[in-house]
Amino acid sequence: MTVFLSILFVLLAINAILLIFSVNGAKERFSKPIQRISEISTTKILPRETVETEYKEAV
């Protein structure tokens, strides 16, 4: 029983430490200015990415 509780508390401590680092990282991301995509940039669509109107018959 003591082994189970000790492993449980160690895992909870690791989880708490990771949660604290995760929250601190999220705060830094929100403080950075948002970079806007320029209106000049355009997306290039490859021919295979376009929607095909003809469908092949499934076998």
Side-chain angles (χ1 to χ4, degrees):
M1 183 72 175
T2 57
V3 174
F4 171 75
L5 289 176
S6 63
I7 292 173
L8 179 68
F9 288 134
V10 167
L11 290 175
L12 286 174
I14 292 171
N15 194 12
I17 291 169
L18 291 175
L19 180 66
I20 290 170
F21 285 129
S22 174
V23 169
N24 287 340
K27 286 181 183 178
E28 290 175 5
R29 275 187 246 131
F30 284 125
S31 64
K32 290 181 182 177
I34 299 173
Q35 296 178 352
R36 297 190 182 262
I37 300 174
S38 65
E39 296 175 0
I40 299 171
S41 67
T42 58
T43 57
K44 296 180 181 178
I45 299 176
L46 298 175
R48 63 180 170 210
E49 293 178 357
T50 59
V51 178
E52 296 180 12
T53 55
E54 297 179 8
Y55 296 99
K56 295 181 181 177
E57 183 178 343
V59 179

